[in-house]
Amino acid sequence: MIKKLRYKIQEFPVEKISRFTYIAQQITPSAAQVALWLSAIYGIIRLLCLIFSVNITSLMWWLMAPHTTVADFSPDECCGEQFFTFTSAKGELAPHLPRLRLVGQNDLPLVETFVPCCGESLDIILDTARAACAIDYPTARFCVTVLDDGNSAALHKAIADLCKIWPNLSYHSRGVKPNVKVFAKAGNLNYGLFEIKRPFPPEFIAVMDADCMPTPDFLRATLPHMLTRSKLAIVGSAQYYYNLPDGDPLDQALDYYSAIKIPQVNRLGKSFASGSGCVIRYSTLLKTGGFPTFGSVEDVTLSSILTQSGDQILVLTEMVQLGLAPGSFEGHVLQTSRHKAGVSDQILTWSPSTSNTIPPRYRPALGWIGLSLTWKIVVRFITNIFIPLALASGQQLVPTTLLRLQMVLAVLYISSFWLYEWLRAAHTGFRVSTFHHLREWFLATRDELGRPPRQARLSLSRARLTRTISKTSWSRPRGIAYLG
């Protein structure tokens, strides 16, 4: 038991890993550095051969595009992954956050939990409201506020009935019709932040999507990190789902992010907290003027603004929330593409338009995020079409100058990629596969052409939530929150 400020915080032992996994974790950054050097050498030699060879065709130049794609330094491409692995290893913070718990019942921080919704199924919203109210935290020290952009009379009545059980629950609506987008989710959250009168301002704001239920220890797991790190502005949590199909063929479990990506960015203190399952300092939101209303990915925008301001953001990989994954292939593609469209729209922050509410000093980084994702989608789209056509053409695709050297470098280059990917999979205990970050490459064509304006552990947690919350409906269809 350790004492920090006036709060008591308990730290749990770190989960033990095998000797093999530990060695893989230590070697992976060096393997990433070797792969980066070989990629650079191979790319330079191949470019020089193209420049100084005599019999060169335009097709040979175009074939450099696949190498450009693989060597792309955006965070989700091969060289970008390796570069990020190498640089994040030098981060000041530990890659895996300690498991902390806030203990006690008296004089704990005041917390208000927002549950924004807009047209989702009534049962889904009520499940989340019940779960939020059932959090293991003194009732007098937290409240749950349902923010309904759907302006549903049925939901209003249902919440009023639940208030008889949980007096710290309330319903509010700004009267926006479901088919009218008024800054969507960000506007709804800002309404709850600035328009609702409360006797005392909370110290922290928690946000839960309508289809994501917090576990009973959600606040006791997230708040200790805020209380022990003064520079920490947001504590997020990895997203887990309880309705995944057997085998998870679409990789909706997001193991890649919880096992690899989140620990990497945590070392730098620059994680991107998702819009659900996060706790934010109330003073931070006042400083930023609330949630950014530019675009449809307020979580990405807010995270970028805060890290540029010198604040830290960390994301927990332990399971403190459970949500609903799309129940069909079409729903998965739509959700993934909608998120990518929202992120790529960040390039519009470079616009000098008077409607651009992002402060000028934050626009370059946000625009670069949008440009990076847009470039990745475009290059993947071109590669998907061009490579089959090039192979079917029957023409010579590489220059004959220094052909043997090119072949040797190509073998070393590809081998180094595979070694790095194998080590990275090994250091997660093989929770993820090699080249896991390329799992959605097949969606590139759809993103470009159709761009829209651990099962046992999950079952155990679901059972625990079922016992905690009265009468839940676990297999309801997903809502359509903020499709606007």
Side-chain angles (χ1 to χ4, degrees), residues 74-77 80-81 84-85 255-267 271 424 437:
S74 59
D76 289 330
E77 299 302 327
E81 284 285 327
F84 199 69
T85 297
D255 283 339
Y256 164 72
Y257 290 98
S258 59
I260 294 177
K261 185 61 72 175
I262 290 176
Q264 286 180 341
V265 290
N266 274 346
R267 296 200 72 159
S271 289
R424 193 170 65 160
H437 56 286

Side-chain angles (χ1 to χ4, degrees), residues 15 99 215 240-242 255 258 317-320 322 431 454-464:
E15 183 178 354
R99 291 185 64 225
T215 60
Y240 294 89
Y241 305 99
Y242 58 78
D255 283 339
S258 59
T317 55
E318 61 178 300
M319 189 187 304
V320 293
L322 281 168
R431 284 176 56 193
R454 328 137 246 1
Q455 205 57 36
R457 292 174 57 200
L458 293 176
S459 299
L460 185 62
S461 296
R462 183 178 74 176
R464 180 177 60 163

Side-chain angles (χ1 to χ4, degrees), residues 71-342:
D72 186 1
F73 275 81
S74 59
D76 289 330
E77 299 302 327
C78 292
C79 280
E81 284 285 327
Q82 294 158 6
F83 182 77
F84 199 69
T85 297
F86 175 65
T87 55
S88 64
K90 300 180 179 180
E92 299 178 357
L93 304 178
H96 298 282
L97 298 177
R99 291 185 64 225
L100 305 177
R101 289 297 183 271
L102 183 63
V103 298
Q105 298 291 328
N106 300 322
D107 200 26
L108 296 182
L110 290 171
V111 182
E112 182 169 1
T113 300
F114 287 159
V115 181
C117 55
C118 182
E120 296 89 349
S121 167
L122 181 63
D123 286 340
I124 289 178
I125 301 172
L126 294 180
D127 283 348
T128 301
R130 293 188 188 102
C133 291
I135 287 176
D136 177 20
Y137 206 76
T139 304
R141 306 302 294 174
F142 87 107
C143 63
V144 178
T145 304
V146 175
L147 301 171
D148 180 23
D149 261 3
N151 199 23
S152 168
L155 178 59
H156 192 178
K157 181 182 183 303
I159 294 298
D161 293 338
L162 289 179
C163 287
K164 300 173 183 177
I165 305 173
W166 291 292
N168 58 336
L169 174 65
S170 63
Y171 170 93
H172 295 272
S173 175
R174 54 181 177 157
V176 178
K177 295 181 180 180
N179 62 341
V180 178
K181 182 176 179 180
V182 185
F183 297 136
K185 181 180 175 182
N188 196 10
L189 291 170
N190 285 336
Y191 168 77
L193 195 64
F194 298 117
E195 301 298 329
I196 297 177
K197 295 182 179 180
R198 46 182 68 86
F200 302 101
E203 297 174 61
F204 301 99
I205 296 290
V207 180
M208 298 300 307
D209 278 353
D211 56 358
C212 290
M213 295 182 292
T215 60
D217 56 353
F218 172 76
L219 290 179
R220 293 190 181 273
T222 53
L223 286 177
H225 299 278
M226 303 290 276
L227 298 173
T228 57
R229 301 172 186 261
S230 59
K231 295 180 64 177
L232 193 56
I234 302 178
V235 171
S237 59
Q239 294 186 323
Y240 294 89
Y241 305 99
Y242 58 78
N243 64 326
L244 297 176
D246 293 339
D248 189 19
L250 296 177
D251 187 46
Q252 293 172 294
L254 303 177
D255 283 339
Y256 164 72
Y257 290 98
S258 59
I260 294 177
K261 185 61 72 175
I262 290 176
Q264 286 180 341
V265 290
N266 274 346
R267 296 200 72 159
L268 304 174
K270 296 183 178 181
S271 289
F272 279 79
S274 65
S276 180
C278 64
V279 176
I280 312 172
R281 292 187 191 275
Y282 182 71
S283 58
T284 296
L285 290 172
L286 294 182
K287 179 181 69 175
T288 60
F291 294 87
T293 56
F294 184 92
S296 59
V297 284
E298 72 289 330
D299 49 353
V300 174
T301 307
L302 179 62
S303 296
S304 178
I305 289 175
L306 291 177
T307 53
Q308 289 185 69
S309 301
D311 294 312
Q312 292 181 345
I313 299 174
L314 298 177
V315 176
L316 305 184
T317 55
E318 61 178 300
M319 189 187 304
V320 293
Q321 68 166 330
L322 281 168
L324 276 169
S328 65
F329 177 74
E330 181 183 3
H332 172 71
V333 172
L334 177 62
Q335 184 186 61
T336 302
S337 300
R338 191 172 70 244
H339 176 73
K340 288 180 179 178

